[in-house]
């Protein structure tokens, strides 16, 4: 299993440069590294000093690079969808639609990238995957897919089954599907069966996001005020998708970070990095910390069943920016332009929230 | 009808700063301006020197600012979906799902932003809307929604109607729907009716994207090589969504642009802009060109029915980076990690492509 490392920060702070330096450093230490770039433009190759493509290429010992291309990835994914359909349906409907004619809708880039990373991870060829993504909210939406998509499936499956429409169609669906499907689905498992494969993928994804030894994020900023405001916002927002933020990289900055910056991002470790000049990578590589050491970072979420408490880490927000609501078996936390629906363990499920307080950057909910 | 102006370029080149300066300049000239920022973080407020919110606020004469918040927009949109459902279905299924529990999936941010901009435009309150978006491919995917979504609806509606599944369900659908829907839909118009409202929105969107007096894009770059490579790539990619690129803004740069840069971006007008320092906006505002003058820019697509030719502007790509295919009544152009499916006029539809050549940045297809 590879470890995925990625960087969040305002555009122009040097995320891509740091991603390249980190890949070089880890490869130099003997880890098998894949550097995967979301940007399909030639700008990435200009920074890298090489011409990557849509398939991984080895550019140094232990270091492969791939430039993700959504059009290519969509073609491959479409073939898999067609095969899946052909497996379940006796008479496939999609065979006359070709991957080569499909255009890219918003959101597809990140969903396809996440799937590609999953497959590179599964290949066993890499110890570390460094993902140079969009670096801000769009990337957090991507990391949130497993949890968010699970929630939508869970919620709307129930809505459909409960609906008059679902009930009315029910008696008709079984004979029809029995006539055309190979397997004999009933109405109830019709909603379940095709999502099983998806569900297990999503559950694996949720487990990976929650485990800092599998996925960790670093904040990148400079001394610029807007860049620091963005990094702080992304720190809190990252907690909302349940991913661990392991440290801060203060780019284009010599010497120790100011006490002001240290206070802003406490308790995260902060590392100052020199600005890269020309083709000289070594000073930047030398200055990078051990990015694979991620276990001391604060956990986004912890549930204390004995004390009937849920603790949600939300640094950078104050209590007016956080909204807590409860619908049915879940609680919903709104902050940083994201909502997180938290499934409660059996012993807390269905119980009313008794109290909530905001303390030292933690939202503490009691049941 | 407002004119929408937006800026594309690599992170850190100063797009947001230029968007703010452009908004101040046009408002100062008497146009009613809305500045809409996609970034929900406090970084935008730091650059602006004000604290915007999710509803438009007037910060200077003629100048309103809004910071788009996807969670808010999704709540509003969900209420509209529920109302639409209640209009068509006697027994609504969605009433127990609340906007306040919906989390954000990838792609929603841009779709919601596009819809918000459409509504601000329709309000009649603004002459110019300046949209400070993600500035790269994600933003182009957003501008491509009307054309891409129309294609998916057109293509998959036909697939469903032709399928054995569609045919097999057909006799059952009418009695069921007649029993539960107020209107008596037949199977054929079942696929059509609920998409009519969407189709007319998408057609309006397509017309707006294709009209530079309604929507125009500017490239922003600095003298940095990676930033220029990105700007050039976005120029070609913007043609693939059919939007007009009206000029180049060369930021942090005094004096006339070099002949090298002028050659790279010919025939676009290039304007050098001074770097903004401190809170002094005036030099930047003074240096900006008239951004509303967009009519001389090259057209992304022209179809010459008399000469049986389709001309597609694709600057920055060479012929090895462009793929042309033909499926049924359409041609598909692949370039810049996007596919564009071009509907042909009646006289060219269903005719085989006779030849294609790449000349002066144009792909010229003959029938």
């Amino acid at each position: 299993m590879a470890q995925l490392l990625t960087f969040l920060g305002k555009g122009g702070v040097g995320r891509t440069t740091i991603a390249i330096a980190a890949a070089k450093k880890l490869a130099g230490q003997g880890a098998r590294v894949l550097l995967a770039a979301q940007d399909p433009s030639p700008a990435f190759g200009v920074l890298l000093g090489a011409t990557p493509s849509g398939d991984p290429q080895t550019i140094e010992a232990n270091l492969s690079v791939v430039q993700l291309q959504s059009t290519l990835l969509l073609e491959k994914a479409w073939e898999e969808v067609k095969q899946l359909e052909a497996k379940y349906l006796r008479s496939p409907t999609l065979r006359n639609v070709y991957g080569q004619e499909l255009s890219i809708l918003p959101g597809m880039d990140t969903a396809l990238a996440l799937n590609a990373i999953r497959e590179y991870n599964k290949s066993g060829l890499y110890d570390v995957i460094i993902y140079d993504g969009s670096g801000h909210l769009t990337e957090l939406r991507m990391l949130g897919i497993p949890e968010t998509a699970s929630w939508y499936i869970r919620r709307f499956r129930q809505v459909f089954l409960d609906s008059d429409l679902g009930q009315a169609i029910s008696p008709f669906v079984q004979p029809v599907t029995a006539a055309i499907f190979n397997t004999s689905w009933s109405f109830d498992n019709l909603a379940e069966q095709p999502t099983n494969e998806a569900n297990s993928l999503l559950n694996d994804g949720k487990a990976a996001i929650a485990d800092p030894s599998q996925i960790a994020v670093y904040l990148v900023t400079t001394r610029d005020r807007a860049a620091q405001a963005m990094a702080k916002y992304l720190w809190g927002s990252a907690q909302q998708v349940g991913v661990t933020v392991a440290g801060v990289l203060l780019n284009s900055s010599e010497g120790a970070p100011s006490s002001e910056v240290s206070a802003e991002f406490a308790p995260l470790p902060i590392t100052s990095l020199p600005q890269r000049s020309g083709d000289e990578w070594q000073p930047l590589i030398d200055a990078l910390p051990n990015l694979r050491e991620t276990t001391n970072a604060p956990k986004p979420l912890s549930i204390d069943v004995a004390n009937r408490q849920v603790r949600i880490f939300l640094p950078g927000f104050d209590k007016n920016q956080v909204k807590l609501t409860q619908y049915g078996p879940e609680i919903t936390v709104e902050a940083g332009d994201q909502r997180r629906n938290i499934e409660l363990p059996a012993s807390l499920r269905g119980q009313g929230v008794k109290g909530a307080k905001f303390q030292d950057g933690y939202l503490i909910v009691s049941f």
Side-chain angles (χ1 to χ4, degrees), chain A:
Chain A
M1 188 97 77
Q3 184 178 30
L4 180 74
L5 301 175
T6 186
F7 304 92
L8 300 176
K10 190 171 176 301
V13 294
R15 281 185 298 101
T16 300
T17 302
I18 288 172
I20 296 169
K24 286 176 183 280
K25 176 165 192 150
L26 292 166
Q29 291 170 343
R32 297 167 307 161
V33 178
L34 177 69
L35 172 61
Q38 181 74 61
D39 169 22
S41 89
F44 176 66
V46 170
L47 290 169
L48 183 67
T51 315
S53 77
D55 287 306
Q57 288 180 317
T58 305
I59 61 162
E60 286 177 21
N62 293 324
L63 176 54
S64 296
V65 181
V66 63
Q67 196 169 20
L68 301 174
Q69 285 168 15
S70 299
T71 41
L72 266 182
L73 295 174
L74 182 57
E75 265 181 63
K76 282 190 214 160
W78 184 244
E79 285 309 313
E80 285 162 24
V81 167
K82 287 210 271 189
Q83 279 165 21
L84 203 68
E85 197 214 28
K87 206 167 91 186
Y88 287 115
L89 279 189
R90 193 176 293 159
S91 162
T93 60
L94 303 176
R95 62 184 162 203
N96 294 326
V97 179
Y98 303 99
Q100 291 83 352
E101 52 176 332
L102 300 180
S103 41
I104 314 286
L105 281 167
M108 285 186 181
D109 298 275
T110 45
L112 292 165
L114 191 64
N115 190 48
I117 290 169
R118 188 184 62 77
E119 288 181 350
Y120 287 128
N121 181 19
K122 220 176 53 180
S123 74
L125 293 171
Y126 309 104
D127 303 311
V128 181
I129 298 174
I130 293 184
Y131 173 61
D132 181 36
S134 77
H136 39 78
L137 216 51
T138 311
E139 182 168 343
L140 287 176
R141 303 283 195 234
M142 171 180 120
L143 296 174
I145 289 176
E147 189 166 297
T148 308
S150 302
W151 180 83
Y152 272 97
I153 291 172
R154 194 160 78 227
R155 188 75 172 91
F156 282 90
R157 178 175 175 275
Q158 201 52 50
V159 167
F160 181 70
L161 292 178
D162 290 347
S163 71
D164 286 1
L165 179 63
Q167 298 297 326
I169 289 179
S170 170
F172 297 95
V173 170
Q174 212 182 348
V176 179
T177 53
I180 53 167
F181 288 91
N182 286 318
T183 48
S184 69
W185 283 343
S186 75
F187 177 60
D188 276 344
N189 69 19
L190 175 71
E192 208 154 328
Q193 202 113 353
T195 59
N196 268 353
E197 213 155 326
N199 268 340
S200 100
L201 283 186
L202 293 174
N203 283 333
D204 291 352
K206 279 198 279 187
I209 299 283
D211 175 2
S213 73
Q214 290 189 61
I215 301 183
V217 164
Y218 285 84
L219 304 175
V220 181
T221 182
T222 59
R223 293 193 185 276
D224 175 67
R225 266 178 61 222
Q228 288 190 8
M230 176 72 89
K232 187 133 192 200
Y233 179 82
L234 291 168
W235 185 22
S237 302
Q239 313 303 317
Q240 278 282 73
V241 303
V243 72
T244 301
V245 176
V248 180
L249 304 174
L250 187 58
N251 201 13
S252 307
S253 172
E254 307 285 340
S258 67
S259 59
E260 205 187 329
V261 173
S262 301
E264 279 287 303
F265 292 100
L268 296 184
I270 304 180
T271 309
S272 293
L273 299 177
Q275 186 162 25
R276 188 177 70 97
S277 60
D279 290 331
E280 189 52 77
W281 288 92
Q282 205 55 48
L284 179 54
I285 290 173
D286 291 342
L288 281 170
N290 178 7
L291 297 171
R292 300 190 67 184
E293 177 54 54
T294 56
T295 42
N296 293 324
K299 285 176 82 169
L301 174 72
S302 50
I303 299 182
D304 181 344
V305 174
N307 289 310
R308 307 178 65 76
Q309 271 193 348
V310 175
R311 284 166 59 89
I312 303 149
F313 186 46
L314 287 172
F317 297 111
D318 65 41
K319 68 177 176 192
N320 300 319
Q321 295 170 307
V322 175
K323 226 158 76 181
L324 175 70
T325 41
Q326 190 174 25
Y327 298 98
E330 312 197 340
I331 56 172
T332 303
V333 178
E334 184 175 327
D337 208 23
Q338 180 58 293
R339 292 195 187 92
R340 183 175 195 188
N341 292 297
I342 298 172
E343 267 191 289
L344 298 170
S347 64
L348 302 181
R349 207 169 297 157
Q351 312 242 346
V353 168
K354 287 237 175 64
K357 60 180 173 180
F358 209 79
Q359 202 171 58
D360 303 330
Y362 283 86
L363 174 66
I364 302 168
V365 185
S366 307
F367 293 86

